[in-house]
């Protein structure tokens, strides 16, 4: 599908996937009178669930059962994955609810057990925004663009004991939103653009502990996308933060008998990115534009620390920046599963609130997973609403090597 758009409308379309050049944080009055103050990042696609497993359970995964998608949710879980080798692929259509037919997210991943304590894994995430026919403000044809973004990861996980593991990931990131075309500043001129590149790292810790009568509990913590800012132009004052994120979660599993098992999970998420300043005229926070410039130029590590205490609305706003995911699944004879979950984000911080459902079918080494997202608020702008996601996984359960 070819989409005809001016640069302005193209930028609006792209904002579903990534922050555009020189994008100001979003401020407006919320339904309850509170100020909406969204946290702006570059390439937020890095936080989108790449699989139909966790996405069917409200996007929960810090301490979920270890699987091939652990690299996105908590890389330390790879050390406890069952099997010797596996690979997977997921297809996610994008903005289908708006009639867009050529935007999609593709994921490829695989893992290999080195021995009974260590596992390596790799994955590729590719996001295509389709073909956009762009025109300038005067209506002249500027040709077509094929915006796209991708990331490539390599992970390593190691057991420290029979119940505890650590994980580390290195990631290369590329975001090409304009194919080098200029972007209007709104003042009659254009800013030259370029693809943005970055390197990032993830760190995870995972603990699982069996208890009596077929029960197990697990805890996990995961920091993802910790890396250099993205720059789409030569203007160093407009670098975008990566969506550095802290995920903490817990799981309870109960194997009722040989045929029936349940898993129940909950996650808390918080972006480790500074909160943007309040709007112009806020006497408490000072001059908006001065503080906005300071926000853009804040260093990555300073931003991580600052994200815990810098919300203009104080501790209450900091709490509103925490997203909650909860979900569960029921397995029958380890061959069929049904899943459900819920994701909550405060209305002043994006307002994504949706229920999810899905199922899985497993036969020998192959597993087929499906997920479906249903928004629960009338103003939800989630690009995946009413969208089916499909994952296909192959796990080969050959005996792992025992040498260190």
């Amino acid at each position: 599908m070819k989409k005809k758009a001016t640069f302005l409308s193209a930028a609006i379309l792209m904002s579903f996937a990534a922050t555009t050049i020189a994008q100001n944080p979003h401020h407006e009055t919320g339904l309850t009178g509170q100020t909406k103050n969204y946290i702006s990042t570059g390439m937020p696609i890095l936080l989108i669930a790449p699989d139909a497993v966790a996405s069917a359970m409200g996007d929960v995964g810090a301490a979920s059962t270890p699987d091939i998608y652990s690299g996105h949710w908590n890389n330390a879980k790879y050390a406890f994955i069952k099997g010797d080798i596996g690979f997977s692929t997921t297809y996610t259509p994008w903005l289908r609810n708006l009639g867009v037919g050529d935007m999609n997210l593709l994921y490829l991943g695989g893992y290999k057990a080195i021995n009974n304590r260590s596992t390596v894994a790799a994955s590729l995430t590719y996001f295509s925004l389709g073909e956009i026919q762009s025109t300038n403000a005067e209506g002249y044809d500027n040709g077509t663009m094929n915006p796209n973004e991708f990331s490539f990861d390599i992970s390593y996980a190691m057991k420290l004991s029979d119940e505890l593991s650590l994980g580390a990931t290195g990631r290369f990131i590329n975001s090409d939103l304009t194919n080098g075309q200029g972007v209007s500043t709104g003042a009659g001129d254009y800013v030259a653009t370029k693809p943005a590149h970055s390197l990032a790292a993830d760190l995870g810790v995972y603990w699982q502990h069996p208890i009596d009568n077929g029960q197990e509990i697990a805890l996990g913590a995961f920091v993802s996308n910790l890396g250099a800012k993205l720059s789409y132009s030569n203007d160093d004052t407009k670098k975008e933060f990566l969506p550095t994120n802290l995920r903490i979660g817990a799981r309870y599993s109960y194997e009722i008998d040989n045929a029936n098992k349940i898993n129940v999970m909950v996650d808390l998420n918080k972006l480790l990115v500074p909160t943007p300043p309040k709007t112009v005229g806020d006497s408490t926070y000072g001059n908006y534009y001065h503080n906005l410039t300071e926000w853009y130029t804040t260093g990555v590590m300073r931003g991580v620390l600052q994200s815990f205490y810098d919300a203009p609305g104080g501790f209450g706003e900091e709490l509103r920046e925490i997203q909650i995911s909860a979900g569960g699944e029921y397995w029958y004879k380890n061959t069929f599963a049904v899943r459900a979950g819920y994701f909550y984000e405060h209305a002043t911080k994006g307002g994504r609130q949706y229920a999810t459902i899905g199922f899985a079918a497993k036969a020998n080494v192959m597993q087929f997973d499906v997920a479906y997202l249903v928004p629960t608020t009338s103003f939800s702008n989630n690009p995946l609403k009413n969208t089916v996601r499909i994952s296909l996984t192959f796990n080969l359960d050959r005996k792992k090597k025992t040498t260190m």
Side-chain angles (χ1 to χ4, degrees):
M1 173 183 178
K2 181 179 289 188
K3 297 174 284 294
K4 185 175 181 179
T6 64
F7 267 118
L8 177 61
S9 59
I12 293 174
L13 180 62
M14 290 182 212
S15 69
F16 283 104
T19 304
T20 55
I21 299 170
Q23 174 184 343
N24 287 340
H26 190 179
H27 305 267
E28 58 184 81
T29 302
L31 299 176
T32 61
Q34 297 171 317
T35 300
K36 292 183 178 180
N37 193 9
Y38 308 156
I39 297 178
S40 173
T41 72
M43 207 168 170
I45 196 71
L46 293 171
L47 294 181
I48 298 296
D51 61 292
V53 180
S55 59
M57 298 184 287
D59 292 346
V60 63
S64 58
T65 304
D67 63 16
I68 197 170
Y69 303 104
S70 296
H72 180 84
W73 304 103
N74 185 350
N75 49 23
K77 296 191 302 178
Y78 276 128
F80 287 93
I81 196 170
K82 294 181 179 179
D84 178 68
I85 188 171
F87 58 93
S88 66
T89 183
T90 300
Y91 172 74
T92 303
W94 203 259
L95 292 179
R96 290 300 189 267
N97 197 63
L98 299 182
V100 178
D102 61 350
M103 295 175 64
N104 53 73
L105 177 69
L106 296 174
Y107 174 88
L108 295 172
Y111 74 90
K112 176 69 174 70
I114 300 174
N115 50 51
N116 64 341
R117 302 188 69 84
S118 302
T119 299
V120 294
S123 66
L124 173 67
T125 301
Y126 179 80
F127 180 61
S128 171
L129 285 89
E131 184 176 282
I132 297 176
Q133 182 179 345
S134 64
T135 59
N136 61 20
E138 290 75 33
Y140 291 104
D141 188 0
N142 280 347
T144 60
M145 298 187 296
N146 297 97
N148 65 86
E149 299 178 311
F150 73 86
S151 66
F152 178 72
D153 311 338
I154 297 178
S155 301
Y156 174 77
M158 180 179 68
K159 290 182 183 178
L160 300 182
S161 70
D162 290 338
E163 298 182 350
L164 181 66
S165 64
L166 296 177
T169 297
R171 174 173 298 113
F172 173 75
I173 294 165
N174 181 83
S175 178
D176 184 3
L177 297 180
T178 61
N179 296 167
Q181 296 190 26
V183 172
S184 173
T185 64
D189 56 348
Y190 289 86
V191 173
T193 67
K194 63 181 181 180
H197 310 290
S198 183
L199 296 174
D202 302 345
L203 299 172
V205 58
Y206 174 71
W207 175 78
Q208 63 180 34
H209 176 69
I211 52 181
D212 294 338
N213 303 318
Q215 301 174 81
E216 183 179 73
I217 56 175
L219 300 173
F222 185 53
V223 176
S224 60
N225 304 312
L226 182 61
K229 291 183 176 181
L230 296 171
S231 177
Y232 294 92
S233 72
N234 293 323
D235 185 354
D236 289 338
T237 66
K238 298 299 182 182
K239 289 185 177 181
E240 301 287 348
F241 286 96
L242 288 177
T244 307
N245 185 73
L246 171 64
R247 179 184 298 274
I248 300 174
R251 168 174 58 88
Y252 168 76
S253 298
Y254 181 31
E255 189 171 347
I256 303 170
D257 53 38
N258 291 334
N260 301 281
K261 182 179 180 179
I262 59 171
N263 296 305
V264 180
M265 292 149 280
V266 63
D267 277 5
L268 301 178
N269 285 275
K270 187 182 190 308
L271 280 171
L272 303 183
V273 175
T275 306
K278 283 188 176 180
T279 54
V280 177
D282 184 272
S283 59
T284 302
Y285 204 73
N287 182 276
Y288 172 68
Y289 292 106
H290 170 77
N291 286 295
L292 182 60
T293 299
E294 182 180 342
W295 179 82
Y296 271 116
T297 56
T298 298
V300 173
M301 295 309 299
R302 178 186 169 189
V304 169
L305 297 176
Q306 187 175 315
S307 68
F308 290 100
Y309 62 82
D310 67 347
F315 184 67
E317 184 175 349
E318 293 289 353
L319 291 178
R320 291 194 292 273
E321 291 180 355
I322 298 175
Q323 303 161 357
I324 303 173
S325 302
E329 61 182 349
Y330 163 77
W331 278 95
Y332 177 70
K333 291 188 175 181
N334 201 36
T335 58
F336 181 78
V338 291
R339 303 183 174 113
Y342 193 81
F343 179 92
Y344 174 84
E345 179 180 62
H346 196 274
T348 62
K349 294 297 177 177
R352 292 176 298 159
Q353 298 170 24
Y354 50 85
T356 60
I357 56 174
F359 70 88
K362 184 186 296 186
N364 297 320
V365 299
M366 185 177 70
Q367 180 172 320
F368 179 74
D369 298 277
V370 175
Y372 186 74
L373 183 151
V374 182
T376 57
T377 56
S378 59
F379 57 88
S380 176
N381 60 355
N382 194 297
L384 297 178
K385 65 182 179 181
N386 304 322
T387 295
V388 174
R389 274 186 276 188
I390 300 173
S391 294
L392 186 62
T393 305
F394 294 87
N395 287 293
L396 304 180
D397 295 325
R398 295 179 296 188
K399 186 177 181 181
K400 295 184 180 181
K401 299 178 182 178
T402 58
T403 57
M404 294 297 292

